[in-house]
């Protein structure tokens, strides 16, 4: 990468571009849902009110709830019924997932990379992060799901707003395997974790989420109170990248993974069982067409 020319856009410049791009169209809904997710006092009535303000979102929620993944015994035709069938926590996840999927449509595949692969990766990481976090820390599994789903949002920003340089970088990685972040620093002067963190800060995401997104490749850098959360996202990302990768790159050092797993305190056999469960869930989700990108 030594011959690569540094991007003319700074991180601050890119984050400004985000605000005037179509990416910002999800800001209001995603910000609103994250605020509700992180508010322990928020009730199902708050969420229903939120959904009813957005009829296309309500229609999509019904479509997902009626998919074979959630397999209702009879057709569900309103949000109250949906809530009873799938539960409050799942409803929150569906809203967020549906909204986020809007960013991943279109775009031609480039040398092993595509937005669809990145979307599948994000979904798989969300499911595993939730499984790990709910088992080890019981609370805030919704936040772990949200962080998993959004951890690589910086990649979609680069893909959409710095497309030519991003596509060139992906091609380079195909020929000379290296960690994506290293290539990004060489080409852009920043990596997708930094982009995601900046976006999360600008959009006032809860701090835990901002740290989880920003430090998913280097959780030791996260603030102490959010470090185990960031480690959870790292572990989910690492383990899901094998079957749900989106770009050619070597996995990071296995010893680092082992250290973070030890810190979380999760037994390997349990972790392995969770990985298998997520793979089964992903197959069901994909067969049922629950979360399609536009
Ligand atoms: Fe990443
Ligand atoms: Fe990732």
């Amino acid at each position: 990468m030594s011959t690569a020319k540094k991007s003319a856009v700074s991180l601050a410049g890119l984050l400004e571009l985000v605000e005037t791009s179509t990416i910002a169209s999800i800001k209001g809904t995603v910000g609103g849902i994250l605020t509700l997710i992180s508010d322990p006092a928020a009730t199902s009535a708050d969420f229903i009110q939120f959904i009813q303000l957005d009829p296309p979102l309500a229609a999509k929620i019904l479509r997902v709830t009626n998919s074979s993944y959630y397999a209702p015994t009879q057709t569900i035709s309103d949000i109250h019924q949906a809530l009873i069938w799938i539960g409050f926590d799942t409803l929150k996840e569906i809203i967020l997932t549906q909204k986020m999927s809007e960013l991943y449509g279109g775009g031609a595949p480039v040398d092993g990379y595509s937005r669809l692969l990145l979307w599948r990766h994000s979904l798989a990481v969300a499911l595993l992060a939730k499984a790990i976090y709910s088992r080890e820390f019981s609370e805030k599994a919704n936040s772990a799901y949200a962080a998993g789903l959004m951890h690589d949002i910086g990649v979609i920003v680069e893909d959409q707003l710095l497309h030519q340089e991003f596509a060139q970088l992906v091609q380079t990685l195909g020929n000379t395997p290296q960690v994506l972040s290293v290539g990004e620093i060489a080409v852009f002067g920043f990596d997708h974790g930094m982009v995601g963190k900046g976006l999360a800060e600008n959009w006032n995401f809860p701090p835990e989420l901002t740290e989880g997104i920003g430090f998913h490749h280097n959780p030791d850098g996260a603030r102490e109170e959010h470090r185990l959360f960031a480690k959870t996202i790292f572990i989910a990302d690492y383990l899901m990248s094998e079957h749900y990768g989106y770009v050619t790159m070597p996995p990071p050092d296995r010893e680092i993974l082992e250290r973070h797993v030890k810190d979380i305190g999760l037994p390997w056999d349990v972790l392995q069982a969770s990985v298998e469960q997520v793979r089964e869930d992903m197959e069901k989700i994909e067969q049922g067409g629950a979360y399609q990108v536009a």
Side-chain angles (χ1 to χ4, degrees):
M1 299 307 299
S2 56
T3 54
K5 188 166 72 70
K6 279 254 166 87
S7 163
V9 181
S10 66
L11 178 56
L14 178 61
L15 292 170
E16 261 177 52
L17 282 178
V18 168
E19 298 305 320
T20 54
S21 73
T22 53
I23 294 171
S25 67
I26 66 158
K27 183 176 167 179
T29 314
V30 168
I33 200 76
L34 292 177
T35 306
L36 284 175
I37 284 175
S38 63
D39 177 2
T43 65
S44 55
D46 295 325
F47 279 85
I48 287 178
Q49 193 182 27
F50 182 86
I51 295 162
Q52 283 170 340
L53 291 172
D54 188 342
L57 177 64
K60 284 174 185 164
I61 290 168
L62 292 179
R63 186 174 62 73
V64 174
T65 309
N66 283 304
S67 74
S68 58
Y69 182 58
Y70 293 109
T73 45
Q74 58 185 46
T75 304
I76 287 174
S77 53
D78 76 57
I79 294 296
H80 292 90
Q81 277 180 307
L83 178 63
I84 292 165
W85 183 253
I86 58 179
F88 190 25
D89 281 343
T90 304
L91 178 69
K92 295 175 196 171
E93 290 167 10
I94 291 176
I95 299 171
L96 190 64
T97 310
Q98 202 59 60
K99 219 57 209 174
M100 282 296 294
S101 74
E102 292 176 14
L103 297 186
Y104 292 77
V110 187
D111 269 15
Y113 166 86
S114 73
R115 288 181 190 171
L116 185 59
L117 287 176
L118 179 58
W119 174 243
R120 294 173 75 221
H121 168 78
S122 304
L123 203 50
V125 172
L127 292 171
L128 185 57
K130 180 176 79 161
I132 297 171
Y133 210 70
S134 62
R135 188 184 186 280
E136 284 308 298
F137 306 101
S138 65
E139 293 169 35
K140 294 190 178 173
N142 275 143
S143 295
Y145 180 91
L149 195 66
M150 295 192 286
H151 76 286
D152 278 330
I153 194 168
V155 175
I156 202 77
V157 169
E158 291 171 0
D159 175 359
Q160 292 207 16
L161 302 181
L162 302 171
H163 184 73
Q164 226 177 346
E165 288 146 310
F166 177 76
Q168 264 172 11
L169 171 60
V170 167
Q171 279 172 335
T172 310
L173 294 182
N175 300 329
T176 349
Q178 65 174 317
V179 175
L180 176 62
S181 298
V182 174
E184 288 171 316
I185 297 277
V187 174
F188 301 125
F190 46 80
D191 69 12
H192 64 276
M194 295 156 80
V195 176
K197 184 168 183 287
L199 184 148
E201 283 165 352
N202 285 356
W203 290 11
N204 293 318
F205 285 2
E208 179 179 59
L209 211 63
T210 304
E211 297 282 297
I213 293 170
F215 296 99
H216 71 271
H217 288 293
N218 51 330
D220 291 324
R223 277 163 31 196
E224 197 180 350
E225 65 268 37
H226 303 306
R227 207 165 289 150
L228 289 179
F229 185 80
K231 283 173 189 267
T232 300
I233 309 305
F234 174 95
I235 294 166
D237 184 39
Y238 188 112
L239 293 173
M240 283 292 118
S241 291
E242 192 185 346
H243 292 284
Y244 297 99
Y246 60 89
V247 71
T248 313
M249 67 170 164
D253 198 333
R254 181 93 190 167
E255 273 177 29
I256 299 175
L257 171 71
E258 287 171 4
R259 178 165 64 81
H260 293 317
V261 169
K262 198 169 159 219
D263 289 348
I264 294 274
L266 195 64
W268 277 101
D269 56 337
V270 175
L271 191 53
Q272 200 48 48
S274 298
V275 169
E276 290 305 318
Q277 184 62 53
V278 169
R279 288 179 65 187
E280 279 176 32
D281 286 347
M282 282 295 290
E283 270 176 37
K284 281 191 221 157
I285 286 172
E286 293 190 304
Q287 279 165 7
Y291 297 115
Q292 289 161 328
V293 292

mmCIF file of all heavy atoms in Angstrom, residues 109-138:
data_model
loop_
_atom_site.group_PDB
_atom_site.id
_atom_site.type_symbol
_atom_site.label_atom_id
_atom_site.label_comp_id
_atom_site.label_asym_id
_atom_site.label_seq_id
_atom_site.Cartn_x
_atom_site.Cartn_y
_atom_site.Cartn_z
ATOM 1 N N PRO A 109 -20.948 -5.796 -7.065
ATOM 2 C CA PRO A 109 -19.898 -6.510 -6.322
ATOM 3 C C PRO A 109 -18.514 -6.155 -6.860
ATOM 4 O O PRO A 109 -18.356 -5.888 -8.051
ATOM 5 C CB PRO A 109 -20.201 -7.992 -6.595
ATOM 6 C CG PRO A 109 -21.592 -8.033 -7.118
ATOM 7 C CD PRO A 109 -21.849 -6.712 -7.777
ATOM 8 N N VAL A 110 -17.548 -6.091 -5.987
ATOM 9 C CA VAL A 110 -16.154 -5.824 -6.383
ATOM 10 C C VAL A 110 -15.275 -6.906 -5.773
ATOM 11 O O VAL A 110 -15.209 -7.003 -4.540
ATOM 12 C CB VAL A 110 -15.650 -4.468 -5.808
ATOM 13 C CG1 VAL A 110 -14.271 -4.129 -6.369
ATOM 14 C CG2 VAL A 110 -16.625 -3.345 -6.048
ATOM 15 N N ASP A 111 -14.656 -7.707 -6.611
ATOM 16 C CA ASP A 111 -13.642 -8.670 -6.136
ATOM 17 C C ASP A 111 -13.916 -9.293 -4.768
ATOM 18 O O ASP A 111 -13.152 -9.103 -3.813
ATOM 19 C CB ASP A 111 -12.274 -7.960 -6.054
ATOM 20 C CG ASP A 111 -11.529 -8.122 -7.365
ATOM 21 O OD1 ASP A 111 -12.164 -8.501 -8.359
ATOM 22 O OD2 ASP A 111 -10.317 -7.849 -7.380
ATOM 23 N N GLY A 112 -14.979 -10.032 -4.647
ATOM 24 C CA GLY A 112 -15.260 -10.724 -3.388
ATOM 25 C C GLY A 112 -16.011 -9.889 -2.375
ATOM 26 O O GLY A 112 -16.444 -10.396 -1.350
ATOM 27 N N TYR A 113 -16.175 -8.606 -2.645
ATOM 28 C CA TYR A 113 -16.950 -7.742 -1.738
ATOM 29 C C TYR A 113 -18.282 -7.398 -2.385
ATOM 30 O O TYR A 113 -18.351 -7.166 -3.601
ATOM 31 C CB TYR A 113 -16.202 -6.429 -1.462
ATOM 32 C CG TYR A 113 -17.091 -5.367 -0.814
ATOM 33 C CD1 TYR A 113 -17.257 -5.333 0.570
ATOM 34 C CD2 TYR A 113 -17.789 -4.429 -1.587
ATOM 35 C CE1 TYR A 113 -18.089 -4.389 1.156
ATOM 36 C CE2 TYR A 113 -18.613 -3.490 -1.009
ATOM 37 C CZ TYR A 113 -18.770 -3.470 0.362
ATOM 38 O OH TYR A 113 -19.598 -2.546 0.946
ATOM 39 N N SER A 114 -19.336 -7.376 -1.554
ATOM 40 C CA SER A 114 -20.593 -6.778 -2.017
ATOM 41 C C SER A 114 -21.336 -6.257 -0.790
ATOM 42 O O SER A 114 -21.091 -6.700 0.334
ATOM 43 C CB SER A 114 -21.467 -7.789 -2.770
ATOM 44 O OG SER A 114 -22.041 -8.705 -1.859
ATOM 45 N N ARG A 115 -22.242 -5.327 -1.031
ATOM 46 C CA ARG A 115 -23.031 -4.779 0.096
ATOM 47 C C ARG A 115 -23.884 -5.871 0.722
ATOM 48 O O ARG A 115 -24.120 -5.862 1.935
ATOM 49 C CB ARG A 115 -23.903 -3.635 -0.403
ATOM 50 C CG ARG A 115 -23.085 -2.415 -0.710
ATOM 51 C CD ARG A 115 -23.925 -1.257 -1.192
ATOM 52 N NE ARG A 115 -23.040 -0.213 -1.693
ATOM 53 C CZ ARG A 115 -23.436 0.865 -2.346
ATOM 54 N NH1 ARG A 115 -24.719 1.062 -2.574
ATOM 55 N NH2 ARG A 115 -22.567 1.748 -2.758
ATOM 56 N N LEU A 116 -24.336 -6.803 -0.116
ATOM 57 C CA LEU A 116 -25.157 -7.893 0.414
ATOM 58 C C LEU A 116 -24.346 -8.766 1.373
ATOM 59 O O LEU A 116 -24.830 -9.155 2.440
ATOM 60 C CB LEU A 116 -25.720 -8.731 -0.740
ATOM 61 C CG LEU A 116 -26.701 -9.834 -0.333
ATOM 62 C CD1 LEU A 116 -27.910 -9.260 0.404
ATOM 63 C CD2 LEU A 116 -27.157 -10.624 -1.558
ATOM 64 N N LEU A 117 -23.092 -9.049 1.014
ATOM 65 C CA LEU A 117 -22.231 -9.835 1.912
ATOM 66 C C LEU A 117 -21.993 -9.070 3.221
ATOM 67 O O LEU A 117 -21.985 -9.659 4.304
ATOM 68 C CB LEU A 117 -20.881 -10.136 1.243
ATOM 69 C CG LEU A 117 -20.882 -11.186 0.127
ATOM 70 C CD1 LEU A 117 -19.495 -11.285 -0.495
ATOM 71 C CD2 LEU A 117 -21.312 -12.547 0.659
ATOM 72 N N LEU A 118 -21.802 -7.772 3.090
ATOM 73 C CA LEU A 118 -21.575 -6.951 4.290
ATOM 74 C C LEU A 118 -22.837 -6.946 5.171
ATOM 75 O O LEU A 118 -22.743 -7.002 6.405
ATOM 76 C CB LEU A 118 -21.199 -5.521 3.882
ATOM 77 C CG LEU A 118 -20.958 -4.526 5.022
ATOM 78 C CD1 LEU A 118 -19.854 -5.003 5.964
ATOM 79 C CD2 LEU A 118 -20.589 -3.147 4.459
ATOM 80 N N TRP A 119 -23.988 -6.937 4.531
ATOM 81 C CA TRP A 119 -25.244 -6.975 5.285
ATOM 82 C C TRP A 119 -25.404 -8.310 6.018
ATOM 83 O O TRP A 119 -25.733 -8.347 7.203
ATOM 84 C CB TRP A 119 -26.433 -6.725 4.335
ATOM 85 C CG TRP A 119 -27.753 -6.889 5.007
ATOM 86 C CD1 TRP A 119 -28.718 -7.801 4.722
ATOM 87 C CD2 TRP A 119 -28.256 -6.130 6.126
ATOM 88 N NE1 TRP A 119 -29.776 -7.664 5.580
ATOM 89 C CE2 TRP A 119 -29.520 -6.646 6.446
ATOM 90 C CE3 TRP A 119 -27.733 -5.076 6.880
ATOM 91 C CZ2 TRP A 119 -30.289 -6.137 7.497
ATOM 92 C CZ3 TRP A 119 -28.497 -4.570 7.933
ATOM 93 C CH2 TRP A 119 -29.750 -5.103 8.217
ATOM 94 N N ARG A 120 -25.132 -9.419 5.317
ATOM 95 C CA ARG A 120 -25.248 -10.746 5.957
ATOM 96 C C ARG A 120 -24.259 -10.841 7.128
ATOM 97 O O ARG A 120 -24.569 -11.387 8.183
ATOM 98 C CB ARG A 120 -24.940 -11.849 4.948
ATOM 99 C CG ARG A 120 -25.960 -11.949 3.839
ATOM 100 C CD ARG A 120 -25.483 -12.940 2.791
ATOM 101 N NE ARG A 120 -25.609 -14.312 3.221
ATOM 102 C CZ ARG A 120 -24.694 -15.259 3.010
ATOM 103 N NH1 ARG A 120 -23.581 -14.975 2.395
ATOM 104 N NH2 ARG A 120 -24.899 -16.482 3.427
ATOM 105 N N HIS A 121 -23.071 -10.305 6.903
ATOM 106 C CA HIS A 121 -22.041 -10.296 7.957
ATOM 107 C C HIS A 121 -22.567 -9.531 9.188
ATOM 108 O O HIS A 121 -22.485 -10.008 10.320
ATOM 109 C CB HIS A 121 -20.779 -9.631 7.401
ATOM 110 C CG HIS A 121 -19.748 -9.288 8.433
ATOM 111 N ND1 HIS A 121 -18.904 -10.228 8.980
ATOM 112 C CD2 HIS A 121 -19.429 -8.109 9.036
ATOM 113 C CE1 HIS A 121 -18.120 -9.648 9.867
ATOM 114 N NE2 HIS A 121 -18.414 -8.351 9.920
ATOM 115 N N SER A 122 -23.139 -8.358 8.943
ATOM 116 C CA SER A 122 -23.614 -7.507 10.040
ATOM 117 C C SER A 122 -24.721 -8.204 10.836
ATOM 118 O O SER A 122 -24.743 -8.157 12.070
ATOM 119 C CB SER A 122 -24.139 -6.175 9.487
ATOM 120 O OG SER A 122 -23.128 -5.549 8.730
ATOM 121 N N LEU A 123 -25.619 -8.857 10.103
ATOM 122 C CA LEU A 123 -26.727 -9.562 10.753
ATOM 123 C C LEU A 123 -26.210 -10.735 11.596
ATOM 124 O O LEU A 123 -26.639 -10.948 12.736
ATOM 125 C CB LEU A 123 -27.667 -10.060 9.641
ATOM 126 C CG LEU A 123 -29.115 -10.357 9.963
ATOM 127 C CD1 LEU A 123 -29.777 -9.226 10.715
ATOM 128 C CD2 LEU A 123 -29.870 -10.639 8.646
ATOM 129 N N ALA A 124 -25.270 -11.497 11.035
ATOM 130 C CA ALA A 124 -24.713 -12.644 11.752
ATOM 131 C C ALA A 124 -23.972 -12.177 13.014
ATOM 132 O O ALA A 124 -24.096 -12.781 14.092
ATOM 133 C CB ALA A 124 -23.772 -13.424 10.833
ATOM 134 N N VAL A 125 -23.227 -11.087 12.900
ATOM 135 C CA VAL A 125 -22.491 -10.562 14.064
ATOM 136 C C VAL A 125 -23.489 -10.079 15.129
ATOM 137 O O VAL A 125 -23.296 -10.306 16.327
ATOM 138 C CB VAL A 125 -21.515 -9.429 13.638
ATOM 139 C CG1 VAL A 125 -20.889 -8.755 14.862
ATOM 140 C CG2 VAL A 125 -20.430 -9.984 12.731
ATOM 141 N N ALA A 126 -24.581 -9.449 14.675
ATOM 142 C CA ALA A 126 -25.604 -8.980 15.620
ATOM 143 C C ALA A 126 -26.185 -10.153 16.410
ATOM 144 O O ALA A 126 -26.322 -10.095 17.637
ATOM 145 C CB ALA A 126 -26.719 -8.256 14.868
ATOM 146 N N LEU A 127 -26.504 -11.235 15.704
ATOM 147 C CA LEU A 127 -27.116 -12.395 16.371
ATOM 148 C C LEU A 127 -26.150 -13.028 17.369
ATOM 149 O O LEU A 127 -26.541 -13.400 18.480
ATOM 150 C CB LEU A 127 -27.555 -13.431 15.331
ATOM 151 C CG LEU A 127 -28.725 -13.020 14.426
ATOM 152 C CD1 LEU A 127 -28.927 -14.038 13.302
ATOM 153 C CD2 LEU A 127 -30.020 -12.868 15.231
ATOM 154 N N LEU A 128 -24.874 -13.136 16.984
ATOM 155 C CA LEU A 128 -23.913 -13.762 17.901
ATOM 156 C C LEU A 128 -23.601 -12.834 19.079
ATOM 157 O O LEU A 128 -23.497 -13.290 20.224
ATOM 158 C CB LEU A 128 -22.634 -14.159 17.156
ATOM 159 C CG LEU A 128 -21.627 -14.940 18.008
ATOM 160 C CD1 LEU A 128 -22.240 -16.214 18.597
ATOM 161 C CD2 LEU A 128 -20.375 -15.294 17.209
ATOM 162 N N ALA A 129 -23.468 -11.550 18.811
ATOM 163 C CA ALA A 129 -23.186 -10.597 19.901
ATOM 164 C C ALA A 129 -24.319 -10.653 20.930
ATOM 165 O O ALA A 129 -24.080 -10.659 22.142
ATOM 166 C CB ALA A 129 -23.040 -9.188 19.344
ATOM 167 N N LYS A 130 -25.530 -10.736 20.441
ATOM 168 C CA LYS A 130 -26.678 -10.815 21.363
ATOM 169 C C LYS A 130 -26.622 -12.106 22.183
ATOM 170 O O LYS A 130 -26.826 -12.084 23.397
ATOM 171 C CB LYS A 130 -27.983 -10.759 20.567
ATOM 172 C CG LYS A 130 -29.209 -10.829 21.449
ATOM 173 C CD LYS A 130 -30.484 -10.680 20.672
ATOM 174 C CE LYS A 130 -30.886 -11.946 19.965
ATOM 175 N NZ LYS A 130 -32.292 -11.992 19.584
ATOM 176 N N ALA A 131 -26.321 -13.215 21.510
ATOM 177 C CA ALA A 131 -26.264 -14.507 22.217
ATOM 178 C C ALA A 131 -25.191 -14.477 23.306
ATOM 179 O O ALA A 131 -25.419 -14.909 24.436
ATOM 180 C CB ALA A 131 -25.987 -15.630 21.223
ATOM 181 N N ILE A 132 -24.024 -13.941 22.981
ATOM 182 C CA ILE A 132 -22.921 -13.897 23.954
ATOM 183 C C ILE A 132 -23.295 -12.972 25.114
ATOM 184 O O ILE A 132 -23.169 -13.332 26.283
ATOM 185 C CB ILE A 132 -21.619 -13.366 23.298
ATOM 186 C CG1 ILE A 132 -21.139 -14.308 22.192
ATOM 187 C CG2 ILE A 132 -20.523 -13.184 24.353
ATOM 188 C CD1 ILE A 132 -19.979 -13.738 21.360
ATOM 189 N N TYR A 133 -23.772 -11.798 24.758
ATOM 190 C CA TYR A 133 -24.002 -10.793 25.799
ATOM 191 C C TYR A 133 -25.168 -11.183 26.715
ATOM 192 O O TYR A 133 -25.114 -10.972 27.923
ATOM 193 C CB TYR A 133 -24.251 -9.419 25.167
ATOM 194 C CG TYR A 133 -23.790 -8.294 26.051
ATOM 195 C CD1 TYR A 133 -22.435 -8.071 26.265
ATOM 196 C CD2 TYR A 133 -24.697 -7.469 26.696
ATOM 197 C CE1 TYR A 133 -21.991 -7.045 27.091
ATOM 198 C CE2 TYR A 133 -24.260 -6.437 27.533
ATOM 199 C CZ TYR A 133 -22.904 -6.245 27.713
ATOM 200 O OH TYR A 133 -22.461 -5.233 28.538
ATOM 201 N N SER A 134 -26.209 -11.751 26.136
ATOM 202 C CA SER A 134 -27.346 -12.108 26.982
ATOM 203 C C SER A 134 -26.967 -13.250 27.918
ATOM 204 O O SER A 134 -27.421 -13.313 29.048
ATOM 205 C CB SER A 134 -28.574 -12.479 26.145
ATOM 206 O OG SER A 134 -28.289 -13.589 25.358
ATOM 207 N N ARG A 135 -26.068 -14.141 27.475
ATOM 208 C CA ARG A 135 -25.680 -15.245 28.352
ATOM 209 C C ARG A 135 -24.754 -14.758 29.477
ATOM 210 O O ARG A 135 -24.908 -15.129 30.624
ATOM 211 C CB ARG A 135 -24.962 -16.326 27.545
ATOM 212 C CG ARG A 135 -24.718 -17.558 28.404
ATOM 213 C CD ARG A 135 -23.933 -18.615 27.700
ATOM 214 N NE ARG A 135 -23.865 -19.815 28.527
ATOM 215 C CZ ARG A 135 -23.031 -19.973 29.537
ATOM 216 N NH1 ARG A 135 -22.197 -19.014 29.866
ATOM 217 N NH2 ARG A 135 -23.023 -21.099 30.236
ATOM 218 N N GLU A 136 -23.823 -13.903 29.134
ATOM 219 C CA GLU A 136 -22.820 -13.492 30.114
ATOM 220 C C GLU A 136 -23.239 -12.321 30.985
ATOM 221 O O GLU A 136 -22.834 -12.207 32.131
ATOM 222 C CB GLU A 136 -21.513 -13.142 29.392
ATOM 223 C CG GLU A 136 -20.743 -14.356 28.944
ATOM 224 C CD GLU A 136 -20.516 -15.346 30.077
ATOM 225 O OE1 GLU A 136 -19.851 -14.993 31.057
ATOM 226 O OE2 GLU A 136 -21.023 -16.477 29.972
ATOM 227 N N PHE A 137 -24.017 -11.431 30.402
ATOM 228 C CA PHE A 137 -24.309 -10.201 31.141
ATOM 229 C C PHE A 137 -25.801 -9.964 31.309
ATOM 230 O O PHE A 137 -26.211 -8.947 31.853
ATOM 231 C CB PHE A 137 -23.653 -9.006 30.433
ATOM 232 C CG PHE A 137 -22.184 -9.206 30.206
ATOM 233 C CD1 PHE A 137 -21.701 -9.592 28.968
ATOM 234 C CD2 PHE A 137 -21.284 -9.055 31.248
ATOM 235 C CE1 PHE A 137 -20.353 -9.800 28.759
ATOM 236 C CE2 PHE A 137 -19.926 -9.261 31.041
ATOM 237 C CZ PHE A 137 -19.461 -9.637 29.800
ATOM 238 N N SER A 138 -26.571 -10.871 30.821
ATOM 239 C CA SER A 138 -28.044 -10.912 30.891
ATOM 240 C C SER A 138 -28.773 -9.646 30.422
ATOM 241 O O SER A 138 -29.700 -9.725 29.650
ATOM 242 C CB SER A 138 -28.529 -11.327 32.284
ATOM 243 O OG SER A 138 -28.174 -10.360 33.229
#
